[in-house]
Amino acid sequence: MTQPPETALQNFELSLGGQLRMMGKAFWNAPVRNRVLVLISALLIIIFATTYATYRLNEWNGPFYDALERRDMPEFLNQLVVFGIIAFSLTLLNVVQQWLNQITAMRMREGLARDLADVWLKPGRALKLGGAGAIASNPDQRLHEDTRILAENTTALAIGLVNSTILLASFIGVLWAISSDFAFHFGSRTISIPGYMVWTTILYALLGSVLSNVVGNLLPRLNAERYAREADLRAALVRANENLKPITLARGEASERVRVDFAIEGVLGMLRKLAWALANLTWVSAGFGWLALVAPIIIASPMYFSGELSFGGLMMAVGAFNQVNQALRWYVVNFSVIADWRATLNRVSSFRHALLTMDTQVGEGGVIAYREAHQGEGISVCGVTVYGAPEQGEAGHGVRVVEGDCAIKPGERVMINGDPGADRHLFFQALAGIWPWGRGEIALPPAGRMILMPQDGYLPTATLREVMTYPDGLSDIDDKALTEALEKVGLDRLVHRLDEVERWDRLLDKDEEASLSIANAVLRKPDWLIMDDVLEGLEPETQERLLGVLSRLEGLTLIYIGRSEEFRKKFSPRLFHLSPLHAHAEKKKEEA
């Protein structure tokens, strides 16, 4: 299909705020919204319960370590029982939270994947997106892998952020209470820093966050590029797998291996860059992680050695420090995950934005106006010009309708060919509404009564019954009608395979694929059938048989775009001419 250049199309990137608004609106309108909100409510309850149990566990440190310091065996055993109850409760809460995390991520992915699939497969959108440049590359990657990563990371990060916020609010008060009135004594001087453990903990976590941000600032871009290279590799492998027969016959394995190796090297190159970036980030995350083992003791040691804290109080301070530090260092620990999330959010939101924009996008040279034909009017293309490139207008490649042959009445037989150089396939795309760039007006019958049959048709991987009634299925068609349709087009050998699922595009040859498309038209009984050079390259016997089937369809208006001697002999059609734009431009110059 002819594609517009990227310069004629807009940039689909959104700001972070725009990305969040777009995806938030999509979630709010998704069918899974209520189920996800229920899961989120349950998660909040579990998180609050877990925080309370963690708070009680931190309080338990005081009497337990004080009992150890006093060598009080009865109290020691009593505190072990208390610990068992708290530990069991925390374990149960952790198990429930883990299950809710997974189910929430699953529902989020369901909503994302279904939303993108619905937006992508709106009539005409996916095909129009093919001309939008890089954003159209590997949509399967965005629908499959990117939605999975975005759903999982969104769930994990949101839950982690809420959990850290609640922990911070709960335990920062403990640190403040422990160090609220402590003062440092330097000889005769006394320096009082209310809540100094709070400030030192914040400073410690802030330093780790700043260093992580500086060291890991390349990760979002590297992750985005990695996913793009992964998609290129998968596309290369799929393309090679789907064309094994022609590749083998052409002895092209070595050439394809070079292409696959190039795609593999692209992935490996990005992984090497990511490995270095993550290694550098590990210096910060691991270093601060190990330092956290002794940092709270060092910070609380002045109070312990001054006698203002018991050993149990010291362990409570250490526990509270660790909880507050864990909450504050959430950004540090999750920096690489946040980078991954930003990359996939950008890919998914820009893809969705591009799809939604396809409905309103206009080329620089203008677009053709489409309307539904009046009763009995048929198809009208008077004065229509189709541009091959939207920004070039009539100065570029394209076709125009020769004046005089511009209306097709119901019941007619018409062949549309044209002068040498006229792009008939481009005109077929314009007639189908999938290439709107040009000028003029096209009147078409209701879409439900019209079949557009391209030269290279599509056969889904499904039962033969579903293929024959594609796309919507025909509830009133029985096996007898299916069998008769197959026999009419010469596919008797498939009569007993109606319920078999196959890759029919691989099983059938070109003649049989065309015959199956005609069988589909026989069953659907359209009022209008527009064929784009479908008979090209078929055996004469196949052409004669299929045209004979079409001639017996009552009330059918038949339009053939292309050159076919068999069609001309069978129907004696009215000829319909197209003229290439460059020839029209030269003629106008001569007249001037």
Side-chain angles (χ1 to χ4, degrees), residues 392-425:
Q392 294 179 2
E394 295 198 23
H397 165 72
V399 294
R400 65 183 298 274
V401 177
V402 176
E403 297 298 338
D405 296 327
C406 61
I408 303 172
K409 298 181 176 60
E412 278 196 293
R413 304 290 193 263
V414 173
M415 177 185 286
I416 301 176
N417 45 47
D419 300 330
D423 191 337
R424 300 188 300 270
H425 300 300

Side-chain angles (χ1 to χ4, degrees), residues 357-370:
T357 306
M358 288 300 104
D359 291 341
T360 56
Q361 187 139 22
V362 177
E364 293 180 5
V367 293
I368 298 168
Y370 291 89

Side-chain angles (χ1 to χ4, degrees), residues 273-478:
K273 292 180 181 179
L274 272 171
W276 279 109
L278 289 172
N280 291 333
L281 183 61
T282 304
W283 279 104
V284 177
S285 59
F288 272 79
W290 289 113
L291 185 59
L293 294 176
V294 296
I297 296 177
I298 294 173
I299 293 171
S301 60
M303 297 180 64
Y304 178 73
F305 288 116
S306 69
E308 296 187 25
L309 275 181
S310 65
F311 185 60
L314 175 65
M315 300 313 294
M316 283 182 62
V318 169
F321 172 92
N322 287 332
Q323 294 295 341
V324 172
N325 182 57
Q326 177 185 342
L328 290 173
R329 290 186 69 250
W330 176 86
Y331 180 77
V332 181
V333 174
N334 290 281
F335 189 88
S336 61
V337 182
I338 293 172
D340 206 9
W341 175 78
R342 285 286 305 275
T344 51
L345 175 65
N346 179 57
R347 283 175 58 81
V348 171
S349 62
S350 59
F351 181 67
R352 190 176 192 275
H353 183 218
L355 286 168
L356 294 176
T357 306
M358 288 300 104
D359 291 341
T360 56
Q361 187 139 22
V362 177
E364 293 180 5
V367 293
I368 298 168
Y370 291 89
R371 67 175 176 84
E372 186 170 311
H374 304 304
Q375 183 70 28
E377 178 184 4
I379 292 178
S380 174
V381 289
C382 296
V384 169
T385 298
V386 185
Y387 302 150
E391 82 287 353
Q392 294 179 2
E394 295 198 23
H397 165 72
V399 294
R400 65 183 298 274
V401 177
V402 176
E403 297 298 338
D405 296 327
C406 61
I408 303 172
K409 298 181 176 60
E412 278 196 293
R413 304 290 193 263
V414 173
M415 177 185 286
I416 301 176
N417 45 47
D419 300 330
D423 191 337
R424 300 188 300 270
H425 300 300
L426 185 65
F427 181 74
F428 174 78
Q429 294 174 46
L431 204 58
I434 60 176
W435 184 263
W437 287 277
R439 63 177 177 81
E441 180 183 84
I442 295 180
L444 295 171
R449 300 305 306 155
M450 182 170 56
I451 291 180
L452 294 153
M453 190 176 294
Q455 188 175 32
D456 297 316
Y458 169 69
L459 302 179
T461 302
T463 64
L464 184 59
R465 184 190 310 276
E466 292 174 297
V467 173
M468 294 181 67
T469 58
Y470 185 82
D472 299 322
L474 300 170
S475 57
D476 58 337
I477 297 296
D478 56 18

Side-chain angles (χ1 to χ4, degrees), residues 12-136:
F12 301 108
E13 296 286 336
L14 295 169
S15 64
L16 178 59
Q19 294 170 19
L20 293 174
R21 284 192 297 273
M22 167 167 284
M23 301 314 298
K25 184 177 180 181
F27 165 74
W28 194 253
N29 294 325
V32 299
R33 180 194 65 190
N34 292 337
R35 280 176 286 182
V36 172
L37 291 177
V38 170
L39 289 168
I40 290 173
S41 300
L43 274 167
L44 285 174
I45 294 172
I46 295 298
I47 290 172
F48 276 111
T50 302
T51 303
Y52 175 74
T54 305
Y55 182 82
R56 293 300 303 270
L57 180 63
N58 188 68
E59 284 188 328
W60 169 86
N61 282 317
F64 177 74
Y65 286 104
D66 286 341
L68 278 177
E69 188 178 27
R70 296 193 308 268
R71 294 179 172 82
D72 186 346
M73 177 61 73
E75 181 61 18
F76 172 76
L77 295 175
N78 179 58
Q79 290 302 320
L80 284 180
V81 173
V82 174
F83 172 80
I85 296 171
I86 296 174
F88 174 78
S89 301
L90 280 170
T91 302
L92 178 61
L93 289 169
N94 289 337
V95 170
V96 174
Q97 181 172 334
Q98 178 64 22
W99 183 82
L100 288 172
N101 288 355
Q102 297 300 314
I103 297 300
T104 303
M106 181 195 74
R107 292 301 183 190
M108 288 284 288
R109 183 181 180 185
E110 176 189 355
L112 275 172
R114 292 187 187 280
D115 172 75
L116 272 191
D118 289 345
V119 174
W120 183 49
L121 291 176
K122 286 287 185 183
R125 275 187 187 168
L127 192 60
K128 291 175 185 176
L129 185 69
I135 193 68

